[in-house]
């Protein structure tokens, strides 16, 4: 019998007026108790707050060979469908304009890079964000008990980014969190139909409260270290007092880019669980996200599952 079933029975027994003298426990079990359905794949996650769940996450989730972006600009072999089917429920995305001289809503794209070189990073390849997010919405509709998170490195106008979510039909699902208040449970997010949590690497914008400033509402460990032995759980960026944080895990390769040849080391589930335990010991809580590149190597989904099973 699950802990939730037992809890429901106990509550019914101790609340006055819930049962009559001639009502048996068997009747309660058969007629009154409703077990919780799984949330993000497990019953025990339903009553946990969002910040107390570990989600597997793909860094630059759109930047894949399957989506027509190749190394050195790529971060994965396969795209959203494979990632979702494997169990990924958190995705890092980069938004840019396809041209620096065409800053309008229709020219927003997912591209990997930055604008500091004097040209749009979309020259290395681009992914249509409407198509990508529409596909994600279809998967979310088919998985109504799952919470999804996006972290966006945004280089377009906030209004243009919001218009993208409006066009796709995701805006109504976006959760708005008040800073320094407790995060809701997964079940509360599901019941309120706000199953999409979005962060961006941009300052707080009162006109766009759906986009939570990554550096104020959360924090991250370092990334792209030279060796796995260099990885730790120290605060690299953001507010270390916040309970939501990303445990990044990818190694630096040629030109300082993510190294596909050693992804099996960074994504090894035993290694990731050891790091998760280190974070728990240092911060008193499990990492909210485990972010990886070349997710096909190793098993970050298994690592997240095992970290979620740790009693804290």
């Amino acid at each position: 019998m699950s802990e939730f079933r037992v809890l429901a029975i106990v509550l019914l027994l101790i609340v006055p007026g819930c049962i009559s003298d001639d009502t048996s426990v068997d009747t309660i079990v058969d007629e009154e108790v409703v077990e919780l359905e799984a949330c993000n794949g497990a019953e025990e996650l339903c009553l946990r707050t969002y910040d107390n769940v570990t989600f597997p996450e793909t860094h630059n989730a759109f930047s894949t060979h399957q989506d027509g972006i190749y190394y050195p600009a790529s971060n994965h072999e396969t795209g959203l469908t494979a990632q979702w089917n494997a169990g990924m429920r958190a995705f890092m995305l980069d938004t840019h304009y396809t041209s620096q001289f065409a800053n309008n809503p229709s020219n927003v794209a997912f591209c990997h890079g930055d604008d500091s070189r004097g040209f749009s990073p979309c020259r290395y390849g681009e992914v249509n964000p409407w198509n990508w997010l529409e596909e994600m919405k279809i998967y979310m509709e088919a998985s109504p008990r799952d919470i999804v998170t996006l972290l966006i490195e945004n280089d377009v106008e906030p209004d243009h980014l919001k218009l993208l979510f409006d066009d796709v039909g995701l805006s109504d699902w976006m959760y708005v969190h008040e800073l320094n208040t407790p995060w809701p449970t997964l079940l509360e997010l599901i019941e309120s139909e706000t199953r999409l949590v979005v962060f961006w690497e941009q300052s707080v914008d009162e006109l766009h409260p759906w986009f939570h400033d990554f550096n104020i509402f959360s924090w991250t460990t370092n990334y792209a270290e030279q060796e796995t032995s260099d990885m730790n759980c120290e605060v690299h960026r953001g507010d270390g007092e916040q309970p939501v944080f990303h445990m990044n895990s990818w190694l630096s390769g040629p030109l300082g880019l993510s190294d596909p040849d050693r992804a099996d080391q960074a994504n090894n589930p035993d290694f990731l669980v050891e790091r998760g335990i280190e974070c728990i010991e240092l911060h008193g809580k499990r990492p909210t996200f485990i972010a990886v590149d070349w997710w096909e190597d190793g098993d970050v989904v298994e690592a997240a599952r095992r970290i979620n099973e740790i009693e804290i």
Side-chain angles (χ1 to χ4, degrees):
M1 183 179 295
S2 73
E3 59 184 293
F4 301 109
R5 195 178 180 95
V6 172
L7 176 60
I9 294 171
V10 171
L11 288 174
L12 285 168
L13 289 173
I14 64 175
V15 176
C18 281
I19 58 174
S20 64
D21 294 337
D22 57 353
T23 302
S24 68
V25 171
D26 288 339
T27 301
I28 297 171
V29 172
D30 292 338
E31 298 180 4
E32 302 290 341
V33 177
V34 178
E35 289 191 53
L36 290 176
E37 296 180 47
C39 302
N40 282 70
E43 282 185 15
E44 59 268 23
L45 300 184
C46 291
L47 301 183
R48 284 194 197 168
T49 55
Y50 172 81
D51 59 289
N52 192 29
V53 175
T54 297
F55 301 89
E57 179 177 48
T58 41
H59 172 231
N60 293 333
F62 65 93
S63 188
T64 78
H65 295 176
Q66 191 173 55
D67 288 295
I69 299 178
Y70 296 95
Y71 198 77
S74 58
N75 294 86
H76 308 278
E77 294 279 350
T78 53
L80 175 59
T81 296
Q83 293 176 30
W84 184 277
N85 290 339
M88 300 297 177
R89 293 298 183 269
F91 309 93
M92 293 184 178
L93 305 170
D94 293 3
T95 49
H96 296 269
Y97 294 112
T98 55
S99 168
Q100 291 183 313
F101 306 103
N103 295 0
N104 61 67
S106 63
N107 286 322
V108 175
F110 291 153
C111 309
H112 180 196
D114 61 65
D115 298 310
S116 63
R117 296 179 178 86
F119 52 83
S120 171
C122 296
R123 69 179 297 174
Y124 298 118
E126 64 184 73
V127 173
N128 184 304
W130 283 268
N131 293 345
W132 198 97
L133 290 173
E134 283 171 354
E135 185 177 9
M136 188 189 79
K137 182 186 177 186
I138 291 172
Y139 295 142
M140 288 184 67
E141 288 174 334
S143 303
R145 304 285 297 183
D146 285 356
I147 308 305
V148 175
T149 302
L150 301 178
L151 170 57
I152 303 175
E153 185 177 316
N154 184 51
D155 283 283
V156 304
E157 292 294 327
D159 285 345
H160 296 173
L161 181 63
K162 181 57 165 55
L163 182 61
L164 170 60
F165 282 85
D166 291 344
D167 287 347
V168 174
L170 287 171
S171 294
D172 288 342
W173 288 351
M174 293 168 70
Y175 170 71
V176 177
H177 186 68
E178 184 179 344
L179 186 63
N180 295 325
T181 63
W183 285 87
T185 65
L186 298 196
L187 185 60
E188 288 171 333
L189 289 170
I190 292 167
E191 291 180 340
S192 64
E193 298 184 353
T194 52
R195 295 188 294 119
L196 180 59
V197 182
V198 182
F199 298 89
W200 68 0
E201 295 191 40
Q202 192 167 322
S203 299
V204 170
D205 187 331
E206 293 182 357
L207 297 178
H208 301 86
W210 315 272
F211 304 135
H212 303 89
D213 183 346
F214 166 76
N215 286 308
I216 292 180
F217 284 85
S218 65
W219 59 273
T220 179
T221 66
N222 202 355
Y223 56 91
E225 292 93 339
Q226 295 295 319
E227 304 290 341
T228 55
S229 58
D230 298 329
M231 295 179 175
N232 57 51
C233 289
E234 301 293 336
V235 178
H236 175 64
R237 285 187 300 154
D239 183 357
E241 297 300 314
Q242 297 299 324
V244 170
F245 73 97
H246 295 253
M247 187 179 83
N248 294 321
S249 190
W250 61 88
L251 292 169
S252 178
L255 305 176
L257 300 170
S258 177
D259 189 349
D261 295 329
R262 294 188 294 160
D264 59 334
Q265 299 177 32
N267 300 347
N268 179 282
D270 292 337
F271 169 70
L272 291 173
V273 171
E274 289 176 4
R275 280 197 69 198
I277 292 172
E278 179 185 346
C279 290
I280 291 170
E281 292 176 346
L282 183 62
H283 300 287
K285 70 172 304 295
R286 70 190 92 236
T288 321
F289 308 98
I290 307 175
V292 301
D293 280 338
W294 313 106
W295 72 270
E296 300 90 347
D297 293 325
D299 197 339
V300 64
V301 176
E302 169 63 13
R305 184 192 67 78
R306 288 165 57 183
I307 291 173
N308 278 324
E309 290 179 346
I310 297 173
E311 294 292 336
I312 299 179

